[in-house]
Amino acid sequence: MSDYSIGVDLGGTNLRAAAIDRTGKMLNKITGSTPVQSGRNAVIADMVRAIETIRETIEAGLSGRHLAGVGVGIPGFILMEQGVVLGAPNLPEFDNYPVRDEIERRLGAPVILENDANAAALGEKWMGAGRDVEDLVLMTLGTGIGGGIIIGGRVLHGHLGMAAELGHVTVVPNGYPCGCGNAGCVEKYASATAVTAMAQLLNLGNGLTAEDVFNLAAGGNERAKMIFRSVGTSLGTALANLINIFNFPLYLLGGGLLGAWDQFQPAMIQEVERRSFTFRSHPPRIERATLGADAGLYGAAYLPFQVASRGSISR
Ligand SMILES: [Zn+2]
């Protein structure tokens, strides 16, 4: 097969794009030149430019290669049918704009949008820690907490495409207020942002990053260790709910906070055991995701292949 696809990740500071073939081999990867916050027209132009650059490089190197399509991971709600983004604070002016149709028109290739955390979960299923299962949950622990659910090898979308907002699962009734309008969301207790906020509350030092707090914990600082135990307890509460709902074989954690795994994992497992009969009866795997920041690129690139293998476009 000489087909390849291009995955785009709009989640970071600059967009990233990669060409990946059907076997999951990454052929080329580039970073865009325009900050993602620069506004709609600049970002779309940058995306089209990046995709065309990759396409020219690939097709010049090996004639006969065919672009199967483009998948784009976007940090926001995606209305799958319409190909429209909603509620993406990092992407000014994208709300309600027909972004899929616009990129398709400029590229002349089929484009599929996906939430970035869903794309990461699909990437882990295709080429990462979830290769041997058909059903998994991924929670991405970063500035916030993203989530993706893969069921029967495919992304679980819900009826509009808004499923798997796992960062907003409640773990503390009437807890800290969250930007989503709820209070006590798990991302207020177990994200990198939550770690730095707890460090401030406990007077560990000013302006500490989550990594600084981890280094303190690794060095034996009791208050820092307590922060990660608290992170573990909150994650364990959320995971116990997910395990009770899904009875999946695999739950993955990814994102920047994963480096602190050794600090939060024991409290997390203890909490899952306490809260989930399913877990105590037949424990599923709770593991680290393996593709890191590339998970979203793999997942986005896999979308066109998945559509092709089904013989129809099901958005
Ligand atoms: Zn929330």
Side-chain angles (χ1 to χ4, degrees), residues 19-229:
I20 300 179
D21 74 12
R22 261 178 202 281
T23 66
K25 186 177 165 209
M26 196 179 279
L27 306 169
N28 194 323
K29 178 163 75 168
I30 63 174
T31 300
S33 53
T34 308
V36 168
Q37 297 263 6
S38 319
R40 187 178 76 206
N41 293 337
V43 170
I44 289 180
D46 194 33
M47 194 186 322
V48 170
R49 200 159 48 231
I51 291 166
E52 283 177 341
T53 303
I54 289 189
R55 194 174 182 175
E56 281 159 21
T57 311
I58 298 287
E59 293 180 11
L62 263 172
S63 61
R65 289 215 188 239
H66 168 69
L67 177 61
V70 176
V72 185
I74 296 182
F77 291 121
I78 314 292
L79 296 181
M80 303 301 290
E81 285 290 330
Q82 296 91 330
V84 160
V85 184
L86 280 187
N90 292 326
L91 296 171
E93 309 156 26
F94 270 72
D95 273 17
N96 291 311
Y97 179 76
V99 53
R100 179 192 65 210
D101 294 351
E102 181 59 28
I103 310 169
E104 274 186 349
R105 191 182 64 75
R106 295 200 202 182
L107 287 174
V111 172
I112 304 172
L113 307 185
E114 185 54 271
N115 168 271
D116 60 342
N118 288 349
L122 188 62
E124 289 290 340
K125 191 269 164 283
W126 185 32
M127 293 305 297
R131 296 166 75 133
D132 59 341
V133 300
E134 289 297 306
D135 308 307
L136 66 85
V137 172
L138 170 69
M139 289 176 83
T140 307
L141 316 175
T143 314
I145 293 184
I149 298 169
I150 304 297
I151 183 159
R154 302 179 73 86
V155 172
L156 176 73
H157 284 125
H159 83 115
L160 294 175
M162 296 165 85
E165 284 301 316
L166 303 183
H168 302 286
V169 167
T170 303
V171 292
V172 181
N174 307 312
Y176 293 127
C178 177
C180 74
N182 186 23
C185 294
V186 66
E187 77 169 29
K188 303 309 282 183
Y189 294 85
S191 59
T193 313
V195 167
T196 58
M198 284 188 271
Q200 194 130 29
L201 273 177
L202 293 174
N203 290 317
L204 269 182
N206 269 331
L208 296 182
T209 64
E211 193 177 354
D212 295 333
V213 182
F214 168 73
N215 288 332
L216 284 171
N221 182 297
E222 283 305 324
R223 280 176 297 167
K225 284 162 75 172
M226 191 169 82
I227 288 172
F228 285 104
R229 280 200 300 276

